[in-house]
């Protein structure tokens, strides 16, 4: 009797230990911090979709070390206060890392909070020079506005432009104003002239026809829209109404440019951060999966966000005991992204190249 009781007790103990130790492993919580209620919410929505797709595919393949990935979403809105509150909410939910934010101004505002939280923040799209060269918790997949501005300046000069006007969105100074300043410096250094800069703020809801008239008063041979795809499309519509319109270029090229701009954006040169002409099996597989999941073609923020999750998952899978997520991301690179290798410098700044397209027949055609 005593021996049987002891065996039963031992069996019960072993069963209890198995229940405690053999159950599902806790999820790796990945925060998503995007501007889901901003004027350009579609950009962050695409980013969220790209991150979701990567997480779903990783979970189907077994997660990371048998642990599933879970996306926790917060909206950083369009103000520094909202961004800080949303980030602190993610920290309070004990996320293991954060994908985002999706605006350079939000990223700049969050730097003190990121340093204090000791949580890896992996931004797919933030490009402000103010974020570069810093030994902090922010890692960026994109290169800076300065490098992108230099590439566009060289391309416009190659296409014969010597006197350019700018239409600059002052609503996001960390991105658009910094981009404008870097472009002017680069274009001038290469022998061109910026003959006018028509500043505007989308928050004022002022008509954009005045922006175009101000730009054209200086007799430029082209206009660069330093703003979102949405406002670049609206500016192009006003340009098309002018008696002597000039060619346009834009620094943002989401599908919103085509949808809102219509025929007015035909012939526009656009700078992009991914290769639309890529026919590689890896990229086509991603595009097909994204379209099947969300019913539309992916844009740049979707691609970069998908890559961000790939980077994070691979780094976490290889991380040593006690190694921080940031250290792991920098240590185990390069990573295979949707379009080639993803690399970072010692400060966690990305090195993606720039690509250029022209709008023809309602589509982006790569140069």
């Amino acid at each position: 009797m005593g021996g049987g009781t002891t065996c039963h007790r031992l069996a019960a103990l072993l069963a209890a230990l198995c229940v405690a130790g053999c159950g599902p492993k806790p999820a790796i919580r990945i925060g998503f911090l995007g501007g889901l209620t901003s004027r350009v919410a579609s950009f962050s929505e695409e980013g969220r979709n790209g991150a979701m797709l990567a997480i779903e595919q990783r979970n189907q393949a077994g997660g990371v070390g048998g642990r599933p990935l879970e996306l926790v979403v917060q909206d950083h809105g369009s103000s520094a206060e909202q961004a800080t509150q949303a980030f602190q909410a993610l920290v309070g939910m004990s996320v293991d890392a954060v994908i985002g934010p999706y605006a350079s101004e939000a990223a700049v505002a969050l730097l003190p909070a990121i340093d204090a939280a000791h949580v890896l923040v992996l931004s797919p799209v933030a490009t402000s020079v103010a974020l570069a060269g810093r030994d902090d918790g922010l890692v960026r997949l994109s290169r800076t506005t300065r490098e992108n501005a230099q590439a566009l300046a060289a391309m416009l000069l190659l296409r014969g432009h010597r006197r350019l006007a700018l239409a600059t969105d002052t609503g996001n100074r960390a991105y658009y104003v910094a981009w404008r300043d870097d472009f002017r410096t680069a274009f001038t250094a290469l022998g061109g002239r910026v003959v006018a800069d028509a500043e505007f703020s989308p928050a004022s809801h002022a008509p954009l026809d005045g922006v175009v008239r101000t730009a054209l008063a200086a007799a430029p041979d082209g206009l660069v829209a330093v703003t979102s795809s949405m406002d670049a499309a609206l500016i192009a519509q006003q340009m098309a109404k002018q008696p002597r319109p000039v060619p346009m270029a834009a620094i943002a090229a989401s599908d919103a440019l085509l949808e809102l701009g219509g025929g007015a954006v035909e012939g526009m040169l656009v700078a992009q951060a991914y290769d639309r002409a890529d026919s590689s099996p890896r990229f086509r597989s991603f595009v097909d999966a994204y379209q099947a999941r969300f019913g539309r073609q992916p844009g740049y923020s979707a691609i970069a966000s998908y890559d961000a999750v790939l980077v994070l998952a691979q780094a976490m899978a290889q991380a040593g005991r006690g190694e921080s997520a940031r250290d792991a991301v920098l240590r185990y690179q390069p990573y295979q992204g949707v379009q080639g290798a993803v690399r970072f410098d010692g400060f966690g700044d990305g090195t993606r190249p720039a690509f250029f397209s022209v709008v023809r027949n309602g589509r982006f055609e790569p140069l």
Side-chain angles (χ1 to χ4, degrees):
M1 289 291 291
T5 302
T6 300
C7 288
H8 284 308
R9 287 175 178 172
L10 180 59
L13 177 60
L14 290 173
L17 290 173
C18 185
V19 169
C22 302
K25 294 184 178 180
I28 295 173
R29 310 195 82 195
I30 300 176
F32 176 87
L33 188 61
L36 299 172
T37 56
S38 67
R39 281 186 81 247
V40 289
S42 61
F43 190 68
S44 291
E45 289 168 358
E46 280 193 355
R48 179 196 59 197
N49 292 347
M52 286 173 57
L53 179 62
I55 285 174
E56 290 168 359
Q57 291 179 344
R58 185 77 191 201
N59 284 341
Q60 289 170 3
V64 174
R67 297 175 63 188
L69 305 180
E70 176 188 352
L71 194 66
V72 182
V73 177
Q74 283 288 313
D75 173 26
H76 66 55
S78 54
S79 71
E81 293 77 16
Q82 286 177 286
T84 301
Q85 290 171 5
F87 177 72
Q88 297 294 4
L90 290 174
V91 172
M93 288 184 275
S94 300
V95 296
D96 296 279
V98 174
I99 303 294
Y102 284 75
S104 288
E105 197 158 28
V108 171
L110 285 174
L111 287 177
I114 292 172
D115 287 341
H118 303 293
V119 173
L120 170 65
V121 177
L122 193 58
S123 179
V125 298
T127 59
S128 172
V129 175
L131 302 170
R134 297 174 56 94
D135 187 14
D136 56 19
L138 178 67
V139 174
R140 302 179 304 103
L141 270 72
S142 296
R143 63 182 188 172
T144 67
T145 54
R146 180 168 298 158
E147 294 160 310
N148 291 332
Q150 290 169 345
L152 182 58
M155 176 59 70
L156 287 168
L157 279 162
L158 185 64
R159 292 171 66 86
H161 294 282
R162 295 294 181 271
R163 292 172 51 85
L164 287 173
L166 309 178
T168 304
D169 178 349
T170 59
N172 183 341
R173 303 194 69 83
Y175 181 68
Y176 296 126
V177 174
W179 198 103
R180 182 269 313 275
D181 293 344
D182 288 331
F183 178 84
R184 179 190 284 124
T185 298
F187 192 65
T188 302
L190 292 171
R193 287 184 60 199
V194 174
V195 296
D197 184 13
E199 295 184 345
F200 70 98
S201 174
S204 70
H205 303 292
L208 292 174
D209 56 340
V211 171
V212 174
R213 288 197 302 271
T214 298
L216 292 180
D221 58 26
L223 173 67
V224 182
V226 188
T227 186
S228 67
S229 294
M230 177 189 304
D231 288 310
L234 298 177
I235 290 171
Q237 290 177 348
Q238 294 300 324
M239 177 65 77
K241 298 176 182 178
Q242 304 305 311
R244 291 185 177 84
V246 298
M248 283 187 59
I251 69 168
S254 71
D255 286 344
L257 183 73
L258 305 178
E259 294 165 0
L260 297 174
V265 299
E266 283 290 311
M268 182 183 289
L269 175 72
V270 293
Q272 298 178 313
Y274 72 103
D275 182 6
R276 286 180 175 268
D278 188 353
S279 59
S280 67
R282 184 182 299 275
F283 183 63
R284 297 316 313 171
S285 176
F286 164 76
V287 171
D288 291 344
Y290 186 94
Q291 192 162 21
R293 178 67 173 82
F294 301 107
R296 62 180 302 162
Q297 292 285 312
Y300 166 58
S301 62
I303 295 168
S305 300
Y306 184 91
D307 279 354
V309 173
L310 294 185
V311 166
L312 183 60
Q314 185 174 330
M316 285 184 164
Q318 295 179 268
R321 182 179 297 274
E323 186 173 23
S324 72
R326 180 186 186 277
D327 288 346
V329 164
L330 299 187
R331 178 180 178 185
Y332 299 107
Q333 61 177 313
Y335 303 92
Q336 180 59 57
V338 174
Q339 291 190 324
V342 178
R343 292 183 173 88
F344 308 96
D345 65 16
F347 294 105
D349 298 328
T351 58
R352 286 179 181 267
F355 300 90
F356 296 97
S357 298
V358 173
V359 179
R360 293 194 180 100
N361 301 316
R363 300 180 61 184
F364 294 114
E365 291 192 4
L367 289 179

